[in-house]
């Protein structure tokens, strides 16, 4: 009995130690887990049993890490069977804090969240094209650490010293200063130009107003011309003008023919002389008074002999010839001879 008690006590102690060890490693015989394989170009500090987190919450651990010539491959053990990560997803290796610490793997999912009714990652119906399933492979990357940032800054400083970036930056600064001065001068010229343009615009305003008024008048004129009634009236006016011109041409031709005929002109002069003699016989007193009044007016105006001669010539060409003949007749005491009228026998 004592040996049995001692044996069972040893077995219980061994089982407790194994269970406590598994608990410390995050393993459980009753817990369901699934795995994901991630490949990294750089995985500084990553080792087996490193934690795996999603949105800051621990969801598993790194089961194993193996190094190949191409990449570092880590097998991630996810202890949450209901975690559904939509694709695309990636694994990022980082430190627990900015100053360093234990390395951990962060799972990042940028796809549309899966529905609650979607199959679990361990299920055979898991849609591998939409979410991470048991045995999936994803691409990994490394977060910048303090050491990597310092090394990158050192490399940049060495590169800047090699290419003399400080001297170049000084040259660029001087060029920028000169450009700013040129820009200030250009702005001043631009302000002056704007002022002159504003003055020009003010001077052009009356012209623009006149153009607007002319445009309005032209629009009214075009509207009137587009009126069918106005167009018909214009056409009628043009046709009447053409008819009047044709008639005027015809009358002008007849008048030219009459004035070119010497017999017609002699007869017209005879008629004018006969009418003058006829009126003198009817109204001798009035005719003499009119002639005396005309002579007094000519004497009062003080016109010379040449103007009298010119006026005599002018009157001799027209209807004044009969009046001169009548005066000569009165001075001789005889009546002027009347030319035979066309109706005389």
């Amino acid at each position: 009995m004592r040996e049995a008690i001692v044996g069972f006590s040893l077995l219980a102690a061994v089982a407790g130690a194994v269970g406590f060890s598994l608990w410390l490693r995050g393993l459980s015989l009753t817990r369901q887990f699934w795995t994901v394989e991630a490949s990294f170009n750089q995985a500084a500090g990553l080792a087996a049993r490193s934690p795996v987190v999603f949105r800051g919450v621990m969801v598993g651990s790194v089961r194993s890490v193996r190094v190949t010539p191409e990449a570092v491959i880590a097998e991630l053990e996810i202890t949450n069977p209901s975690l559904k990560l939509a694709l695309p997803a990636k694994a990022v290796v980082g430190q627990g804090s900015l100053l360093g610490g234990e390395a951990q793997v962060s799972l990042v999912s940028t796809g549309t969240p899966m529905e609650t009714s979607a199959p679990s990652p361990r299920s055979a119906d898991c849609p591998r094209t939409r979410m991470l399933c048991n045995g999936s492979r994803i691409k990994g990357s490394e977060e910048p650490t303090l050491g990597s940032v310092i090394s990158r800054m050192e490399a940049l400083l060495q590169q800047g010293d090699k290419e003399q970036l400080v001297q170049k930056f000084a040259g660029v600064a001087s060029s920028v200063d000169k450009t700013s001065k040129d820009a200030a001068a250009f702005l001043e010229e631009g302000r002056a130009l704007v002022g002159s343009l504003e003055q020009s615009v003010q001077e052009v305003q009356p012209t623009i107003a006149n153009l607007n008024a002319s445009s309005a008048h032209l629009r009214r004129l075009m509207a009137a011309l587009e009126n069918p009634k106005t167009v018909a009236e214009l056409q009628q006016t043009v046709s009447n003008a053409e008819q009047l011109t044709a008639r005027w041409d015809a009358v002008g031709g007849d008048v030219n023919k009459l004035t070119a005929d010497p017999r017609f002109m002699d007869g017209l002069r005879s008629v004018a002389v006969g009418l003058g003699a006829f009126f003198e016989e009817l109204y001798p007193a009035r005719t003499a008074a009119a002639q005396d009044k005309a002579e007094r007016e000519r004497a009062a105006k003080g016109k010379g002999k040449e103007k009298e001669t010119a006026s005599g010539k002018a009157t001799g060409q027209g209807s004044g010839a009969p009046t001169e003949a009548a005066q000569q007749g009165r001075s001789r005491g005889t009546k002027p001879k009347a030319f035979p009228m066309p109706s005389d026998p």
Side-chain angles (χ1 to χ4, degrees):
M1 181 63 68
R2 292 177 180 176
E3 292 177 356
I5 292 173
V6 172
F8 282 118
S9 298
L10 291 174
L11 290 176
V14 171
V18 172
F20 183 72
S21 176
L22 294 175
W23 178 77
L24 289 177
R25 294 187 178 186
L27 298 177
S28 177
L29 298 177
T30 60
R31 183 180 299 176
Q32 296 179 353
F33 59 88
W34 51 286
T35 59
V36 175
E37 192 175 89
S39 61
F40 303 93
N41 292 329
Q42 296 289 337
L46 188 63
R49 312 315 309 166
S50 295
V52 177
V53 298
F54 176 69
R55 294 183 178 178
V57 179
M58 185 174 178
V59 294
S61 61
V62 178
R63 175 180 291 183
S64 63
V65 177
R66 69 179 187 272
V67 180
T68 63
E70 294 81 12
V72 177
I73 305 219
E75 186 178 4
L76 310 180
E77 184 180 280
I78 311 300
T79 57
N80 187 353
S82 61
L83 182 61
K84 302 172 184 178
L85 300 177
L87 295 177
K90 64 179 180 178
V92 180
V93 175
Q95 303 294 328
S97 64
L98 182 62
L99 298 177
E102 185 183 6
Q104 64 180 15
V105 178
S106 299
L107 296 177
V108 179
S109 175
T110 57
T112 304
M114 299 298 298
E115 303 86 0
T116 56
S117 59
S120 65
R122 291 174 54 87
S123 175
D125 299 333
C126 178
R128 294 181 175 273
T129 58
R130 297 177 54 198
M131 62 178 289
L132 287 178
C133 299
N134 187 22
S136 299
R137 295 182 179 181
I138 58 175
K139 186 69 177 175
S141 61
E142 184 181 11
E143 286 184 348
T145 61
L146 184 60
S148 63
V149 171
I150 293 173
S151 61
R152 183 64 60 85
M153 290 181 64
E154 290 179 354
L156 290 176
L157 290 174
Q158 292 176 0
Q159 186 70 19
D161 189 14
K162 181 179 179 180
E163 295 182 0
Q164 298 180 352
L165 293 179
V166 176
Q167 291 80 358
K168 293 181 180 179
F169 182 76
V172 171
S174 61
S175 300
V176 170
D177 187 16
K178 183 179 179 181
T179 304
S180 63
K181 292 180 181 178
D182 295 341
F186 177 75
L187 289 176
E188 290 295 333
E189 294 178 357
R191 292 191 187 96
L193 179 61
V194 169
S196 62
L197 287 176
E198 290 178 354
Q199 185 178 1
S200 300
V201 169
Q202 292 177 359
E203 293 176 355
V204 171
Q205 287 297 331
T207 305
I208 294 175
N210 295 333
L211 289 176
N212 292 332
S214 302
S215 300
H217 182 68
L218 287 176
R219 285 195 293 270
R220 290 195 296 271
L221 180 60
M222 293 301 296
L225 290 177
E226 291 177 357
N227 189 1
K229 184 177 179 181
T230 305
V231 175
E233 291 177 355
L234 288 175
Q235 292 177 352
Q236 184 65 30
T237 303
V238 171
S239 62
N240 293 336
E242 291 177 352
Q243 294 176 3
L244 179 61
T245 303
R247 292 177 182 176
W248 183 263
D249 292 338
V251 172
D254 296 338
V255 170
N256 291 331
K257 289 180 181 180
L258 291 175
T259 54
D261 190 358
R263 296 176 58 188
F264 174 77
M265 295 303 295
D266 292 340
L268 185 61
R269 292 190 187 95
S270 299
V271 170
V273 172
L275 288 175
F278 177 72
F279 279 108
E280 286 183 358
E281 291 177 358
L282 289 179
Y283 307 102
R286 293 184 180 179
T287 305
Q291 291 176 356
D292 294 339
K293 184 177 181 180
E295 289 177 358
R296 286 196 300 271
E297 289 178 354
R298 285 195 297 270
K301 291 180 181 179
K303 294 183 178 180
K305 253 183 191 182
E306 294 179 359
K307 194 168 185 181
E308 290 178 0
T309 306
S311 62
K313 290 181 180 181
T315 54
Q317 293 177 0
S319 60
T323 306
E324 185 178 359
Q327 290 177 358
Q328 293 176 2
R330 283 197 303 272
S331 62
R332 293 174 184 176
T334 60
K335 295 182 178 179
K337 181 179 179 179
F339 288 92
M341 300 295 289
S343 58
D344 291 344

